[in-house]
Every structure is written in structure tokens, then in C-alpha cells.
Amino acid sequence: AQSVTQPDIHITVSEGASLELRCNYSYGATPYLFWYVQSPGQGLQLLLKYFSGDTLVQGIKGFEAEFKRSQSSFNLRKPSVHWSDAAEYFCAVGEETGRRALTFGSGTRLQVQP
Amino acid sequence: GAGVSQSPSNKVTEKGKDVELRCDPISGHTALYWYRQSLGQGLEFLIYFQGNSAPDKSGLPSDRFSAERTGGSVSTLTIQRTQQEDSAVYLCASRPDGNEQFFGPGTRLTVL
């Protein structure tokens, strides 16, 4: 069965600092990988996705993520964090075929200090 | 264009009552999903509809949960005889051909 691990429950960074959120997955075939962001009281917004091709993917709001098959990782990065980035971030793996349901990690809550 | 909408946004109910949660997917999206987000369990898949095919109910936690999708569009998730452990945010998502799901804002259910 597929699974996603986000080892950091909570991260605090200063505004302007760089950010890396970790994600490790377990999946038998080529994974479809996603990062979503959830602001308080809001639904999930897709930041970026990886299906195939270039292992460095660019997303919205200045985020990027790198797929590393050898490490089963899909870490999310941002070079300079803004106060508005404070939110909860979810990594997810999607089934390649069939129902294509998402399996989510437990999330990382990001706090941004002024 | 319009996104996925869900109603109500908040629902407070008493233990033992039935509740219905509604999802309006993006027009033309053939696939529809329900997920549950709770403190103890995180985000978990509940049920999947694809066109007119029989739904995949493998994620439903108990037989008190059911869902239907009428006309390949609107979906209703019904929870009978609600329990306190049903308190959660219920998220609906729809998907066109491809792999990207689009999420609604969710319904926050509180069972007293």
C-alpha cells in the first residue's frame, strides 16, 4: 500500500529565510506526487505536481519541489518565505491508474516569524 | 470559472442525528471524491465516483456512511446516527481526465 511521511509536524522560519519541507513516499510504481497548501478554514490548493519528466518542478507562489527516486523523496522548497506562506502543507501520492485517489501525509504546519 | 462548492460550510448536530453534506463538482468533471480530515486520522479517502460506474466505497469507515451522485454531477454524503468521532472536515474533490483533483472548501461537522 502506498504511504506518505512528512517527518516535520511543525516548522517555524523567519520571514525572508529559505524553506524546505520534507516528504517521503512509498509506492510500488512511478508515483504521481503533489503538494497542497491549506490556509485556516480553507480547502486544499494545489501548489505543484510531478507526473514525469524533469525532476525539478515549479509551482505557484514561488514554490518548487524536487523528485528524487533514489531517496523516495519529494521535498518542497522556497528560497524566501513571506508571512502569507504561513499555512499547513500536505504532500500526497496519487494512484497512477484506476480510482487515482490521493494518499496524504500528516501535514506540516508552517509558522513565519516577522 | 466556478470551482467545487460544498454546503453547508458548517454543521453542528446532536449525537444520533442524521446529516447530509452536499458537493457540487466542477462542470464536466467525471470523477468525484470525498475525503475526511480529522485530528486523529489526518486526511483520508472515503469514496470515489467515476461517471455512471458503481462507486468505490472502500474508504467508508462504517455502514453509517453512504453517498450518492445523481446524474453524474451533484453528490450527497449521508451520515446516519452521528457519533462524536464523526466530527471532522469533509472535503469533496472533482477531477477531469488526468490526475489533478480540485478541492472544495469543505464542510466542518461538529457532533455534540
Side-chain angles (χ1 to χ4, degrees), chain A residues 48-74:
Chain A
L48 48 77
K49 59 193 177 189
Y50 172 78
F51 294 162
S52 64
D54 193 348
T55 57
L56 183 64
V57 293
Q58 302 296 321
I60 62 170
K61 304 185 180 185
F63 286 92
E64 67 177 26
E66 185 170 13
F67 170 61
K68 293 185 177 180
R69 184 185 298 276
S70 62
Q71 299 178 18
S72 297
S73 69
F74 189 57

PDB file of all heavy atoms in Angstrom, chain A residues 48-74:
ATOM      1  N   LEU A  48       1.887  22.356  -6.587  1.00  0.00           N
ATOM      2  CA  LEU A  48       2.615  21.793  -7.722  1.00  0.00           C
ATOM      3  C   LEU A  48       2.399  20.296  -7.767  1.00  0.00           C
ATOM      4  O   LEU A  48       1.893  19.702  -6.813  1.00  0.00           O
ATOM      5  CB  LEU A  48       4.104  22.136  -7.659  1.00  0.00           C
ATOM      6  CG  LEU A  48       4.839  21.915  -6.340  1.00  0.00           C
ATOM      7  CD1 LEU A  48       5.159  20.480  -6.070  1.00  0.00           C
ATOM      8  CD2 LEU A  48       6.121  22.764  -6.302  1.00  0.00           C
ATOM      9  N   LYS A  49       2.808  19.705  -8.895  1.00  0.00           N
ATOM     10  CA  LYS A  49       2.616  18.281  -9.091  1.00  0.00           C
ATOM     11  C   LYS A  49       3.759  17.721  -9.933  1.00  0.00           C
ATOM     12  O   LYS A  49       4.378  18.442 -10.708  1.00  0.00           O
ATOM     13  CB  LYS A  49       1.290  18.022  -9.794  1.00  0.00           C
ATOM     14  CG  LYS A  49       1.200  18.704 -11.161  1.00  0.00           C
ATOM     15  CD  LYS A  49      -0.216  18.694 -11.696  1.00  0.00           C
ATOM     16  CE  LYS A  49      -0.261  19.469 -13.029  1.00  0.00           C
ATOM     17  NZ  LYS A  49      -1.637  19.684 -13.516  1.00  0.00           N
ATOM     18  N   TYR A  50       4.022  16.439  -9.739  1.00  0.00           N
ATOM     19  CA  TYR A  50       5.006  15.741 -10.547  1.00  0.00           C
ATOM     20  C   TYR A  50       4.376  14.467 -11.086  1.00  0.00           C
ATOM     21  O   TYR A  50       3.880  13.635 -10.320  1.00  0.00           O
ATOM     22  CB  TYR A  50       6.255  15.388  -9.727  1.00  0.00           C
ATOM     23  CG  TYR A  50       7.195  14.495 -10.487  1.00  0.00           C
ATOM     24  CD1 TYR A  50       8.030  15.018 -11.461  1.00  0.00           C
ATOM     25  CD2 TYR A  50       7.209  13.114 -10.270  1.00  0.00           C
ATOM     26  CE1 TYR A  50       8.870  14.193 -12.187  1.00  0.00           C
ATOM     27  CE2 TYR A  50       8.040  12.289 -10.991  1.00  0.00           C
ATOM     28  CZ  TYR A  50       8.873  12.829 -11.948  1.00  0.00           C
ATOM     29  OH  TYR A  50       9.696  12.014 -12.671  1.00  0.00           O
ATOM     30  N   PHE A  51       4.431  14.327 -12.402  1.00  0.00           N
ATOM     31  CA  PHE A  51       3.959  13.096 -13.022  1.00  0.00           C
ATOM     32  C   PHE A  51       5.115  12.364 -13.697  1.00  0.00           C
ATOM     33  O   PHE A  51       5.245  11.156 -13.570  1.00  0.00           O
ATOM     34  CB  PHE A  51       2.857  13.392 -14.041  1.00  0.00           C
ATOM     35  CG  PHE A  51       1.597  13.933 -13.446  1.00  0.00           C
ATOM     36  CD1 PHE A  51       0.661  14.582 -14.239  1.00  0.00           C
ATOM     37  CD2 PHE A  51       1.304  13.807 -12.102  1.00  0.00           C
ATOM     38  CE1 PHE A  51      -0.512  15.083 -13.700  1.00  0.00           C
ATOM     39  CE2 PHE A  51       0.139  14.311 -11.537  1.00  0.00           C
ATOM     40  CZ  PHE A  51      -0.773  14.945 -12.354  1.00  0.00           C
ATOM     41  N   SER A  52       5.938  13.105 -14.443  1.00  0.00           N
ATOM     42  CA  SER A  52       7.066  12.512 -15.146  1.00  0.00           C
ATOM     43  C   SER A  52       7.926  13.651 -15.669  1.00  0.00           C
ATOM     44  O   SER A  52       7.597  14.822 -15.508  1.00  0.00           O
ATOM     45  CB  SER A  52       6.589  11.629 -16.306  1.00  0.00           C
ATOM     46  OG  SER A  52       5.928  12.412 -17.277  1.00  0.00           O
ATOM     47  N   GLY A  53       9.049  13.301 -16.281  1.00  0.00           N
ATOM     48  CA  GLY A  53       9.892  14.315 -16.909  1.00  0.00           C
ATOM     49  C   GLY A  53      10.861  14.960 -15.938  1.00  0.00           C
ATOM     50  O   GLY A  53      11.390  14.307 -15.034  1.00  0.00           O
ATOM     51  N   ASP A  54      11.064  16.237 -16.112  1.00  0.00           N
ATOM     52  CA  ASP A  54      12.012  16.989 -15.297  1.00  0.00           C
ATOM     53  C   ASP A  54      11.711  16.798 -13.814  1.00  0.00           C
ATOM     54  O   ASP A  54      10.579  17.005 -13.369  1.00  0.00           O
ATOM     55  CB  ASP A  54      11.940  18.468 -15.661  1.00  0.00           C
ATOM     56  CG  ASP A  54      13.095  19.275 -15.085  1.00  0.00           C
ATOM     57  OD1 ASP A  54      13.830  18.758 -14.213  1.00  0.00           O
ATOM     58  OD2 ASP A  54      13.281  20.430 -15.516  1.00  0.00           O
ATOM     59  N   THR A  55      12.727  16.424 -13.064  1.00  0.00           N
ATOM     60  CA  THR A  55      12.505  16.106 -11.650  1.00  0.00           C
ATOM     61  C   THR A  55      12.389  17.343 -10.779  1.00  0.00           C
ATOM     62  O   THR A  55      12.016  17.232  -9.612  1.00  0.00           O
ATOM     63  CB  THR A  55      13.635  15.213 -11.121  1.00  0.00           C
ATOM     64  OG1 THR A  55      14.889  15.875 -11.335  1.00  0.00           O
ATOM     65  CG2 THR A  55      13.644  13.863 -11.840  1.00  0.00           C
ATOM     66  N   LEU A  56      12.711  18.496 -11.292  1.00  0.00           N
ATOM     67  CA  LEU A  56      12.523  19.746 -10.554  1.00  0.00           C
ATOM     68  C   LEU A  56      11.297  20.435 -11.132  1.00  0.00           C
ATOM     69  O   LEU A  56      11.288  20.808 -12.305  1.00  0.00           O
ATOM     70  CB  LEU A  56      13.763  20.633 -10.677  1.00  0.00           C
ATOM     71  CG  LEU A  56      13.731  21.936  -9.883  1.00  0.00           C
ATOM     72  CD1 LEU A  56      13.677  21.653  -8.380  1.00  0.00           C
ATOM     73  CD2 LEU A  56      14.946  22.793 -10.215  1.00  0.00           C
ATOM     74  N   VAL A  57      10.277  20.576 -10.320  1.00  0.00           N
ATOM     75  CA  VAL A  57       9.029  21.150 -10.805  1.00  0.00           C
ATOM     76  C   VAL A  57       8.777  22.486 -10.114  1.00  0.00           C
ATOM     77  O   VAL A  57       9.053  22.648  -8.924  1.00  0.00           O
ATOM     78  CB  VAL A  57       7.836  20.199 -10.594  1.00  0.00           C
ATOM     79  CG1 VAL A  57       7.986  18.988 -11.461  1.00  0.00           C
ATOM     80  CG2 VAL A  57       7.697  19.792  -9.134  1.00  0.00           C
ATOM     81  N   GLN A  58       8.262  23.392 -10.884  1.00  0.00           N
ATOM     82  CA  GLN A  58       7.939  24.719 -10.378  1.00  0.00           C
ATOM     83  C   GLN A  58       6.438  24.798 -10.120  1.00  0.00           C
ATOM     84  O   GLN A  58       5.630  24.230 -10.860  1.00  0.00           O
ATOM     85  CB  GLN A  58       8.335  25.781 -11.389  1.00  0.00           C
ATOM     86  CG  GLN A  58       9.808  25.756 -11.768  1.00  0.00           C
ATOM     87  CD  GLN A  58      10.717  26.069 -10.589  1.00  0.00           C
ATOM     88  OE1 GLN A  58      10.424  26.920  -9.762  1.00  0.00           O
ATOM     89  NE2 GLN A  58      11.831  25.335 -10.492  1.00  0.00           N
ATOM     90  N   GLY A  59       6.086  25.512  -9.076  1.00  0.00           N
ATOM     91  CA  GLY A  59       4.688  25.653  -8.760  1.00  0.00           C
ATOM     92  C   GLY A  59       4.298  27.102  -8.601  1.00  0.00           C
ATOM     93  O   GLY A  59       5.030  28.012  -8.994  1.00  0.00           O
ATOM     94  N   ILE A  60       3.148  27.291  -8.001  1.00  0.00           N
ATOM     95  CA  ILE A  60       2.663  28.648  -7.775  1.00  0.00           C
ATOM     96  C   ILE A  60       3.304  29.235  -6.530  1.00  0.00           C
ATOM     97  O   ILE A  60       3.905  28.503  -5.721  1.00  0.00           O
ATOM     98  CB  ILE A  60       1.125  28.667  -7.652  1.00  0.00           C
ATOM     99  CG1 ILE A  60       0.670  27.842  -6.448  1.00  0.00           C
ATOM    100  CG2 ILE A  60       0.480  28.166  -8.935  1.00  0.00           C
ATOM    101  CD1 ILE A  60      -0.807  28.004  -6.133  1.00  0.00           C
ATOM    102  N   LYS A  61       3.216  30.527  -6.378  1.00  0.00           N
ATOM    103  CA  LYS A  61       3.672  31.255  -5.196  1.00  0.00           C
ATOM    104  C   LYS A  61       5.166  31.098  -4.958  1.00  0.00           C
ATOM    105  O   LYS A  61       5.632  31.232  -3.824  1.00  0.00           O
ATOM    106  CB  LYS A  61       2.906  30.808  -3.949  1.00  0.00           C
ATOM    107  CG  LYS A  61       1.393  30.947  -4.064  1.00  0.00           C
ATOM    108  CD  LYS A  61       0.713  30.608  -2.748  1.00  0.00           C
ATOM    109  CE  LYS A  61      -0.787  30.747  -2.861  1.00  0.00           C
ATOM    110  NZ  LYS A  61      -1.490  30.551  -1.574  1.00  0.00           N
ATOM    111  N   GLY A  62       5.932  30.803  -5.989  1.00  0.00           N
ATOM    112  CA  GLY A  62       7.380  30.716  -5.858  1.00  0.00           C
ATOM    113  C   GLY A  62       7.902  29.411  -5.288  1.00  0.00           C
ATOM    114  O   GLY A  62       9.090  29.303  -4.963  1.00  0.00           O
ATOM    115  N   PHE A  63       7.064  28.414  -5.153  1.00  0.00           N
ATOM    116  CA  PHE A  63       7.480  27.114  -4.627  1.00  0.00           C
ATOM    117  C   PHE A  63       8.030  26.219  -5.737  1.00  0.00           C
ATOM    118  O   PHE A  63       7.627  26.326  -6.888  1.00  0.00           O
ATOM    119  CB  PHE A  63       6.308  26.406  -3.947  1.00  0.00           C
ATOM    120  CG  PHE A  63       5.943  26.984  -2.610  1.00  0.00           C
ATOM    121  CD1 PHE A  63       4.975  27.969  -2.505  1.00  0.00           C
ATOM    122  CD2 PHE A  63       6.572  26.536  -1.456  1.00  0.00           C
ATOM    123  CE1 PHE A  63       4.643  28.515  -1.270  1.00  0.00           C
ATOM    124  CE2 PHE A  63       6.239  27.066  -0.216  1.00  0.00           C
ATOM    125  CZ  PHE A  63       5.274  28.058  -0.131  1.00  0.00           C
ATOM    126  N   GLU A  64       8.916  25.328  -5.352  1.00  0.00           N
ATOM    127  CA  GLU A  64       9.420  24.294  -6.232  1.00  0.00           C
ATOM    128  C   GLU A  64       9.609  23.022  -5.420  1.00  0.00           C
ATOM    129  O   GLU A  64       9.659  23.047  -4.188  1.00  0.00           O
ATOM    130  CB  GLU A  64      10.753  24.695  -6.876  1.00  0.00           C
ATOM    131  CG  GLU A  64      11.903  24.819  -5.906  1.00  0.00           C
ATOM    132  CD  GLU A  64      13.217  25.156  -6.610  1.00  0.00           C
ATOM    133  OE1 GLU A  64      13.196  25.769  -7.703  1.00  0.00           O
ATOM    134  OE2 GLU A  64      14.272  24.802  -6.058  1.00  0.00           O
ATOM    135  N   ALA A  65       9.675  21.910  -6.123  1.00  0.00           N
ATOM    136  CA  ALA A  65       9.912  20.635  -5.457  1.00  0.00           C
ATOM    137  C   ALA A  65      10.774  19.772  -6.358  1.00  0.00           C
ATOM    138  O   ALA A  65      10.730  19.883  -7.580  1.00  0.00           O
ATOM    139  CB  ALA A  65       8.590  19.931  -5.137  1.00  0.00           C
ATOM    140  N   GLU A  66      11.551  18.918  -5.727  1.00  0.00           N
ATOM    141  CA  GLU A  66      12.438  18.048  -6.481  1.00  0.00           C
ATOM    142  C   GLU A  66      12.131  16.590  -6.182  1.00  0.00           C
ATOM    143  O   GLU A  66      12.108  16.176  -5.015  1.00  0.00           O
ATOM    144  CB  GLU A  66      13.902  18.337  -6.149  1.00  0.00           C
ATOM    145  CG  GLU A  66      14.878  17.532  -7.011  1.00  0.00           C
ATOM    146  CD  GLU A  66      16.314  17.975  -6.859  1.00  0.00           C
ATOM    147  OE1 GLU A  66      16.619  18.731  -5.909  1.00  0.00           O
ATOM    148  OE2 GLU A  66      17.141  17.560  -7.690  1.00  0.00           O
ATOM    149  N   PHE A  67      11.883  15.825  -7.212  1.00  0.00           N
ATOM    150  CA  PHE A  67      11.626  14.398  -7.099  1.00  0.00           C
ATOM    151  C   PHE A  67      12.960  13.662  -7.125  1.00  0.00           C
ATOM    152  O   PHE A  67      13.728  13.812  -8.077  1.00  0.00           O
ATOM    153  CB  PHE A  67      10.738  13.934  -8.252  1.00  0.00           C
ATOM    154  CG  PHE A  67      10.601  12.443  -8.373  1.00  0.00           C
ATOM    155  CD1 PHE A  67      10.052  11.696  -7.348  1.00  0.00           C
ATOM    156  CD2 PHE A  67      11.015  11.782  -9.523  1.00  0.00           C
ATOM    157  CE1 PHE A  67       9.910  10.327  -7.451  1.00  0.00           C
ATOM    158  CE2 PHE A  67      10.881  10.411  -9.649  1.00  0.00           C
ATOM    159  CZ  PHE A  67      10.328   9.680  -8.607  1.00  0.00           C
ATOM    160  N   LYS A  68      13.220  12.870  -6.108  1.00  0.00           N
ATOM    161  CA  LYS A  68      14.433  12.057  -6.051  1.00  0.00           C
ATOM    162  C   LYS A  68      14.022  10.607  -5.843  1.00  0.00           C
ATOM    163  O   LYS A  68      13.698  10.190  -4.719  1.00  0.00           O
ATOM    164  CB  LYS A  68      15.349  12.526  -4.918  1.00  0.00           C
ATOM    165  CG  LYS A  68      15.943  13.911  -5.141  1.00  0.00           C
ATOM    166  CD  LYS A  68      16.941  14.276  -4.056  1.00  0.00           C
ATOM    167  CE  LYS A  68      17.573  15.633  -4.324  1.00  0.00           C
ATOM    168  NZ  LYS A  68      18.560  16.020  -3.282  1.00  0.00           N
ATOM    169  N   ARG A  69      14.061   9.869  -6.925  1.00  0.00           N
ATOM    170  CA  ARG A  69      13.606   8.479  -6.874  1.00  0.00           C
ATOM    171  C   ARG A  69      14.461   7.651  -5.919  1.00  0.00           C
ATOM    172  O   ARG A  69      13.938   6.834  -5.168  1.00  0.00           O
ATOM    173  CB  ARG A  69      13.633   7.860  -8.274  1.00  0.00           C
ATOM    174  CG  ARG A  69      13.073   6.442  -8.330  1.00  0.00           C
ATOM    175  CD  ARG A  69      13.243   5.841  -9.712  1.00  0.00           C
ATOM    176  NE  ARG A  69      12.520   6.591 -10.729  1.00  0.00           N
ATOM    177  CZ  ARG A  69      11.233   6.417 -11.008  1.00  0.00           C
ATOM    178  NH1 ARG A  69      10.533   5.523 -10.337  1.00  0.00           N
ATOM    179  NH2 ARG A  69      10.670   7.119 -11.968  1.00  0.00           N
ATOM    180  N   SER A  70      15.767   7.895  -5.942  1.00  0.00           N
ATOM    181  CA  SER A  70      16.675   7.085  -5.123  1.00  0.00           C
ATOM    182  C   SER A  70      16.408   7.267  -3.635  1.00  0.00           C
ATOM    183  O   SER A  70      16.696   6.377  -2.834  1.00  0.00           O
ATOM    184  CB  SER A  70      18.130   7.451  -5.438  1.00  0.00           C
ATOM    185  OG  SER A  70      18.374   8.809  -5.116  1.00  0.00           O
ATOM    186  N   GLN A  71      15.870   8.414  -3.262  1.00  0.00           N
ATOM    187  CA  GLN A  71      15.576   8.694  -1.852  1.00  0.00           C
ATOM    188  C   GLN A  71      14.090   8.614  -1.548  1.00  0.00           C
ATOM    189  O   GLN A  71      13.684   8.865  -0.403  1.00  0.00           O
ATOM    190  CB  GLN A  71      16.109  10.087  -1.488  1.00  0.00           C
ATOM    191  CG  GLN A  71      17.613  10.214  -1.652  1.00  0.00           C
ATOM    192  CD  GLN A  71      18.124  11.613  -1.339  1.00  0.00           C
ATOM    193  OE1 GLN A  71      17.452  12.416  -0.698  1.00  0.00           O
ATOM    194  NE2 GLN A  71      19.327  11.922  -1.797  1.00  0.00           N
ATOM    195  N   SER A  72      13.286   8.299  -2.549  1.00  0.00           N
ATOM    196  CA  SER A  72      11.822   8.281  -2.381  1.00  0.00           C
ATOM    197  C   SER A  72      11.350   9.575  -1.719  1.00  0.00           C
ATOM    198  O   SER A  72      10.561   9.558  -0.765  1.00  0.00           O
ATOM    199  CB  SER A  72      11.384   7.066  -1.546  1.00  0.00           C
ATOM    200  OG  SER A  72      11.711   5.874  -2.197  1.00  0.00           O
ATOM    201  N   SER A  73      11.864  10.686  -2.249  1.00  0.00           N
ATOM    202  CA  SER A  73      11.520  11.968  -1.626  1.00  0.00           C
ATOM    203  C   SER A  73      10.972  12.954  -2.655  1.00  0.00           C
ATOM    204  O   SER A  73      11.238  12.840  -3.858  1.00  0.00           O
ATOM    205  CB  SER A  73      12.742  12.568  -0.932  1.00  0.00           C
ATOM    206  OG  SER A  73      13.705  12.983  -1.880  1.00  0.00           O
ATOM    207  N   PHE A  74      10.241  13.894  -2.143  1.00  0.00           N
ATOM    208  CA  PHE A  74       9.644  14.962  -2.969  1.00  0.00           C
ATOM    209  C   PHE A  74       9.553  16.183  -2.065  1.00  0.00           C
ATOM    210  O   PHE A  74       8.485  16.585  -1.628  1.00  0.00           O
ATOM    211  CB  PHE A  74       8.277  14.528  -3.492  1.00  0.00           C
ATOM    212  CG  PHE A  74       7.674  15.461  -4.515  1.00  0.00           C
ATOM    213  CD1 PHE A  74       8.347  15.777  -5.693  1.00  0.00           C
ATOM    214  CD2 PHE A  74       6.402  15.988  -4.334  1.00  0.00           C
ATOM    215  CE1 PHE A  74       7.786  16.609  -6.644  1.00  0.00           C
ATOM    216  CE2 PHE A  74       5.824  16.830  -5.269  1.00  0.00           C
ATOM    217  CZ  PHE A  74       6.520  17.135  -6.429  1.00  0.00           C
TER     218      PHE A  74
END
